[in-house]
Amino acid sequence: MRTLLAALVVFSVLIASPPRAQGEAPQADAIFARAKAAWRARIDVPFVRYGLLERYQWRNRSHDNWWHVSFRQNDGALALTRIIVPEDESARLRGAPITINLHWHHGAAHADSFDTNPDADAFPVLDPQISPASSFGLLRQDTKISLVGAPPVTPSARPEVAVSPPPTPVPGETPLRELARVEAVAHDYQIEFAGTERIGDADTYHLTLTPLRDPHVYRLRDLWVDTASYATVQLALAGLFEGRPYDDARWLVSYVRLDGRYYVGQIKAQDQLKFGLDRYVDGLEFDFVQYEFPADIPPMTFQRFF
């Protein structure tokens, strides 16, 4: 009799519970909220130093540019010093990078090009100001993500949303706008649980995010969160900097765990980028290496003089 009653109870519970839609994961929003809480609970060291490598492939050749970077946590100040090898710089600046000849073929314009300087860069070398502890739009406290020395962004018809005041610009700089200064909350995205994955040495929850509005503001598309600490291990973005071709590409951001915290390890474009008429760049990446955590960095390090 007891067995029959127990079976009836279980059957009634199953009948009363609505069936779960395929792919639905009730815990997805909770994982997202805990990922944000992990960023808020993070206690950073006051100063960070590291090397920053920009690398890409163009015309069957790998191009590298290096910076030495100092970061101050209390105000998000970054000081980038490009590392220049005189011989390499002389070769890079010699002549013109390309010569373009336009011709017509079956009614359409085509561009032929040839190198006058195979050592030249495919695009101007600009200082990539990216915080090594950036959440890339998960939190409002993100410092600016910009290319210093880039031309001003042309106003567009993209919808704007209310955001926090922008950081005070440094005189003489014309940086591109930030990735996002709004703090992402669950109702900004449709969040789905995509399963668990092993990323490096961490077991992670994989979330997929579809923006419910303003996709050029809410650019997170995937999030991989440590199953134990809920720290962000990896994320995918639809656009990095404002302005083409950076905002038309998908980017993968990988973090590295150092002294109990996750710092940016690599940012890599998942798409080919087109600069100018015929400069197709593959594999553009920013590698953050040789992290150091000094007790102090002189304030003058962060001053810019013009």
Side-chain angles (χ1 to χ4, degrees):
M1 187 65 179
R2 288 182 180 177
T3 303
L4 178 59
L5 288 174
L8 289 173
V9 169
V10 172
F11 180 74
S12 63
V13 169
L14 291 174
I15 293 297
S17 301
R20 181 176 298 175
Q22 186 176 4
E24 182 184 3
Q27 72 271 37
D29 287 356
I31 294 172
F32 185 74
R34 294 195 67 172
K36 288 181 54 180
W39 278 106
R40 291 197 194 95
R42 176 182 174 126
I43 301 176
D44 275 298
V45 295
F47 301 100
V48 182
R49 277 184 175 145
Y50 54 95
L52 178 59
L53 166 65
E54 174 194 73
R55 170 170 289 173
Y56 61 91
Q57 301 294 321
W58 182 50
R59 300 290 176 83
N60 300 316
R61 182 177 180 272
S62 179
H63 294 254
D64 290 353
N65 291 298
W66 280 94
W67 287 264
H68 183 268
V69 188
S70 297
F71 174 70
R72 186 168 59 197
Q73 173 60 35
N74 65 352
D75 60 355
L78 277 163
L80 289 86
T81 302
R82 185 158 170 257
I83 300 172
I84 297 176
V85 178
E87 295 80 6
D88 294 344
E89 188 74 355
S90 175
R92 185 182 70 84
L93 297 176
R94 187 182 304 120
I98 57 174
T99 298
I100 302 294
N101 294 312
L102 284 175
H103 64 90
W104 294 88
H105 180 68
H106 296 308
H110 294 267
D112 287 339
S113 63
F114 58 90
D115 290 326
T116 61
N117 179 8
D119 296 316
D121 288 305
F123 51 88
V125 180
L126 306 173
D127 289 346
Q129 291 214 354
I130 306 170
S131 166
S134 176
S135 73
F136 293 89
L138 266 174
L139 290 187
R140 187 187 302 269
Q141 291 85 350
D142 273 356
T143 53
K144 69 180 179 179
I145 300 170
S146 61
L147 290 175
V148 176
V153 175
T154 303
S156 68
R158 291 173 181 167
E160 298 292 336
V161 297
V163 296
S164 58
T168 304
V170 178
E173 291 186 6
T174 54
L176 293 172
R177 290 185 297 174
E178 295 175 62
L179 167 70
R181 283 182 283 107
V182 295
E183 181 170 340
V185 294
H187 58 255
D188 295 326
Y189 295 95
Q190 176 183 334
I191 305 173
E192 297 183 355
F193 180 67
T196 58
E197 296 180 26
R198 185 77 174 176
I199 305 293
D201 60 355
D203 292 317
T204 68
Y205 297 122
H206 180 192
L207 302 179
T208 61
L209 297 91
T210 303
L212 299 176
R213 58 191 176 92
D214 303 326
H216 285 93
V217 173
Y218 299 99
R219 297 184 175 182
L220 287 169
R221 297 297 179 266
D222 290 89
L223 188 65
W224 289 266
V225 176
D226 190 296
T227 58
S229 66
Y230 288 88
T232 300
V233 176
Q234 187 172 272
L235 54 84
L237 302 164
L240 183 62
F241 308 109
E242 284 285 356
R244 294 181 179 177
Y246 302 100
D247 63 352
D248 289 332
R250 182 179 172 90
W251 300 79
L252 187 68
V253 179
S254 302
Y255 292 84
V256 58
R257 184 177 173 86
L258 299 169
D259 290 351
R261 306 171 188 85
Y262 280 97
Y263 291 91
V264 178
Q266 185 186 74
I267 305 172
K268 186 168 184 177
Q270 304 297 286
D271 302 312
Q272 187 180 65
L273 304 178
K274 181 183 179 183
F275 294 86
L277 260 176
D278 69 338
R279 286 166 285 169
Y280 292 92
V281 168
D282 294 301
L284 176 59
E285 65 184 60
F286 300 96
D287 295 315
F288 295 63
V289 299
Q290 299 176 341
Y291 272 99
E292 299 175 0
F293 306 100
D296 191 20
I297 295 178
M300 291 295 289
T301 302
F302 300 96
Q303 302 299 315
R304 294 179 65 91
F305 300 95
F306 300 92

